[in-house]
Amino acid sequence: MNDEKLRELFLDAEPVDEPPLAPGYLESTVTAARQARRRRTLRNTAVGAVAVVAVLGLVGLVVRPYLPDHRTPPASARSAGPLVQRLDAKWMPGGANLHEQSVEDSVQALRYEKWVGTPRDARTIWSVEVSLYPPGVGTAADGPLEDAEFGHGTKVDPVRGMPAELLPDANGYTLEWKYPSGAHAVVTIGGTGGKAGATAGTGFGDRTPSVARRVAENLRIDGTTPMRFPFALHLPANQHVVAADSLVMRAPNGTVSTHASLSFGSGPRVKDSSTVMTSSPAEQGKPQRFAGGNYFVPNRGGFTLQTSVAGHGDGKKLADRVRIVGTPTDPGTWRPDPILN
Amino acid sequence: MNPRQQRDYESYIQGRVAALRRTAYRLTASWDAADDLVQDTFVKLYLHWTKAAAARSIDAYSRRILVNLFLEQARRPWYRRVLSFASPPDQIAEPVDRDSALDLHAAVGQLAAGQRAVLVLRYWEGLDVAETAALLGCSEGTVKSQSSAAIDRLRRLLPGYPVRSANTDRSTE
């Protein structure tokens, strides 16, 4: 039997009972992919959480008091810890919807979009994302840019007196500026183009540079919005929070996808820590299971719960200790302090 | 990932999910396992989208991820594998129906993971020896020996299967 005949034989054996994909399969795949990227970033930047560990280990999750007269940008997202959203966009073009917000140790971001059409058939007219990278981060390893190096772009007029540049972005217009602390902020207007500062296809046309600049001039990084979590738990003795992230995505049709995670341990490194993670929409029709060192609860209170324990501990026991305290469709019901006393 | 890359990625997975799912099914012999494998593949593809988009063929890149993930999962200790069933199937497996194409799937499912991957790539995906070797990251000799061993084992598993000789033309049957 030659190769050709073998191929015929195999092709004759094509499955004829191919079941349809589960509803929401692709959407949950995209959500899982985005979460994976953020988890990777979190792991890669764990060392920066040492200062946070010291604070959180002693006093729990602390949110800085609001300082209304505070004009000088605080040092960084990192110095404030990963549990407070520092970005505060005071101006956005008309029609903006907050599509996504994330707070991580190495980058915080807010993403706004304008949609038209019906909820079932919405189309994105424009997108604007603002990001904040703490001092010491020289490469945008996550967020709207991928591997763009700060300080290597085309110099442009300063933003509120701070040195600014256009970063190469083949797919949009990206204005970045640097705070005295060394933190970098970025405004990215998504679209199509071909070189640094391209404006074609951004939804704003020739107005793109002025829109980006106005967003930049009105961006504050002294916000105090606490991160919220849909779960709570008692930490094991002598353990403290090492890192956390939270993500809420709103699709044009109003669908909310969420992801939140908390890593804790007795040392500073995320990779030596235990993690509780929730995501929504929840998986449907799957059993609770161990997979890849994690324990999965497909649906608890509308969330998929995933746990992993340092040192190959029992993820199921940890999952049993987690209390769901919010609803997946309304992040407003989540709590700012996931640690139970 | 910027918005355009995001759109490209979503458009790509929408267009390719059916084909990759079939490949995954051929490897895993289970639609549930195939769905999990494809999802893992797409997640990994997302993490490496910039590289994938710059590759000569995104399809080849995706297929490589899929096969490598399959092999990686097959190598994991049994207790770390995802269970495909909420509860174990309680009925005895039906005896193999030699007239059914499912025979071949069942037999392929009994092969070692590496042999299964070689057969699926060569005879279902239509890759030649060199392409299969490149995708699996092994030598052409390994692909040939794996193929030969896999076919020998298939012959033993399916002794009565209508295996035709090389000079039989099915179109005349």
Side-chain angles (χ1 to χ4, degrees):
Chain A
M1 189 161 50
N2 62 14
D3 281 4
E4 191 181 334
K5 290 298 168 191
L6 272 166
R7 284 195 182 110
E8 281 185 22
L9 187 65
F10 275 76
L11 287 173
D12 281 350
E14 280 288 27
V16 292
D17 58 342
E18 186 171 336
L21 274 174
Y25 178 86
L26 286 176
E27 290 79 0
S28 65
T29 299
V30 171
T31 302
R34 299 180 79 142
Q35 291 167 354
R37 174 181 287 274
R38 284 179 162 76
R39 285 198 298 275
R40 182 178 69 173
T41 305
L42 206 57
R43 279 196 300 274
N44 292 345
T45 57
V47 174
V50 173
V52 177
V53 171
V55 173
L56 297 177
L58 290 171
V59 298
L61 308 182
V62 177
V63 176
R64 278 190 169 185
Y66 180 54
L67 304 173
D69 296 327
H70 194 82
R71 290 283 181 264
T72 306
S76 69
R78 179 173 290 169
S79 68
L83 302 170
V84 177
Q85 174 63 266
R86 309 299 292 174
L87 287 167
D88 184 5
K90 297 290 189 187
W91 182 85
M92 276 286 153
N97 295 284
L98 180 57
H99 175 60
E100 179 180 331
Q101 55 179 321
S102 62
V103 178
E104 297 172 12
D105 190 47
S106 65
V107 58
Q108 301 194 348
L110 297 173
R111 179 179 171 81
Y112 294 83
E113 292 186 352
K114 181 181 181 180
W115 308 309
V116 295
T118 64
R120 287 175 60 85
D121 187 26
R123 188 163 56 90
T124 302
I125 298 298
W126 53 254
S127 68
V128 176
E129 186 156 355
V130 291
S131 314
L132 178 64
Y133 296 84
V137 175
T139 301
D142 199 8
L145 307 171
E146 194 162 21
D147 300 331
E149 287 186 59
F150 298 135
H152 292 77
T154 306
K155 303 299 176 205
V156 294
D157 290 342
V159 172
R160 296 172 65 209
M162 293 174 277
E165 62 182 345
L166 291 181
L167 292 178
D169 181 0
N171 299 302
Y173 186 92
T174 299
L175 175 64
E176 175 264 320
W177 65 102
K178 184 179 179 181
Y179 290 90
S181 66
H184 295 265
V186 179
V187 174
T188 297
I189 300 184
T192 57
K195 57 184 180 180
T199 59
T202 61
F204 297 108
D206 295 343
R207 293 192 302 124
T208 302
S210 62
V211 170
R213 187 156 288 274
R214 189 167 174 192
V215 171
E217 300 282 357
N218 288 280
L219 183 71
R220 299 292 178 269
I221 61 170
D222 54 358
T224 56
T225 309
M227 286 175 69
R228 289 178 172 272
F229 298 83
F231 59 83
L233 74 162
H234 291 281
L235 290 190
N238 302 319
Q239 298 211 359
H240 46 245
V241 174
V242 177
D245 73 337
S246 181
L247 177 67
V248 175
M249 291 173 284
R250 291 177 195 280
N253 63 5
T255 305
V256 177
S257 303
T258 71
H259 164 80
S261 75
L262 195 68
S263 295
F264 50 90
S266 52
R269 300 195 303 178
V270 169
K271 72 177 187 177
D272 297 329
S273 65
S274 302
T275 298
V276 170
M277 188 183 303
T278 58
S279 59
S280 64
E283 287 183 4
Q284 300 296 330
K286 295 206 171 180
Q288 297 192 13
R289 61 197 188 275
F290 284 98
N294 299 313
Y295 186 72
F296 289 86
V297 180
N299 191 338
R300 184 182 293 178
F303 296 92
T304 293
L305 172 64
Q306 182 179 334
T307 57
S308 64
V309 179
H312 306 291
D314 190 339
K316 184 175 185 313
K317 275 187 182 170
L318 175 57
D320 290 342
R321 293 211 313 267
V322 176
R323 280 171 43 192
I324 299 296
V325 296
T327 61
T329 52
D330 183 9
T333 62
W334 299 11
R335 55 185 290 160
D337 184 352
I339 306 302
L340 298 172
N341 293 317
Chain B
M1 191 180 274
N2 63 42
R4 187 183 182 184
Q5 289 173 316
Q6 184 74 32
R7 280 196 300 273
D8 289 348
Y9 168 79
E10 290 179 15
S11 165
Y12 177 79
I13 67 170
Q14 196 161 20
R16 299 302 296 161
V17 64
L20 275 177
R21 194 169 176 242
R22 273 179 223 121
T23 303
Y25 174 77
R26 291 163 191 152
L27 289 166
T28 61
S30 153
W31 287 110
D32 282 343
D35 287 348
D36 286 344
L37 183 59
V38 169
Q39 193 161 55
D40 289 347
T41 300
F42 283 152
V43 167
K44 203 157 185 177
L45 183 67
Y46 186 92
L47 294 175
H48 301 282
W49 180 251
T50 304
K51 202 185 289 182
R56 196 184 306 167
S57 163
I58 302 179
D59 283 349
Y61 197 94
S62 308
R63 195 157 45 193
R64 182 173 192 148
I65 292 175
L66 183 126
V67 173
N68 285 339
L69 279 174
F70 164 71
L71 293 173
E72 183 187 317
Q73 287 173 6
R75 280 193 292 267
R76 281 179 186 165
W78 65 271
Y79 56 83
R80 291 182 64 186
R81 288 186 200 165
V82 176
L83 295 175
S84 298
F85 300 96
S87 56
D90 55 7
Q91 73 275 25
I92 298 170
E94 292 292 324
V96 173
D97 174 4
R98 289 178 177 172
D99 294 331
S100 167
L102 292 175
D103 287 0
L104 189 58
H105 282 281
V108 169
Q110 294 185 50
L111 301 177
Q115 292 178 355
R116 210 182 312 170
V118 166
L119 283 193
V120 168
L121 290 173
R122 288 196 61 192
Y123 303 121
W124 259 314
E125 300 296 320
L127 304 189
D128 61 25
V129 172
E131 290 168 332
T132 305
L135 194 148
L136 292 172
C138 63
S139 70
E140 294 184 21
T142 301
V143 170
K144 286 177 185 171
S145 62
Q146 291 267 50
S147 303
S148 175
I151 291 168
D152 280 350
R153 181 145 165 74
L154 277 185
R155 284 202 179 101
R156 287 199 298 277
L157 290 168
L158 298 167
Y161 207 85
V163 177
R164 297 162 184 84
S165 62
N167 57 1
T168 302
D169 183 356
R170 280 173 51 81
S171 63
T172 62
E173 290 179 7

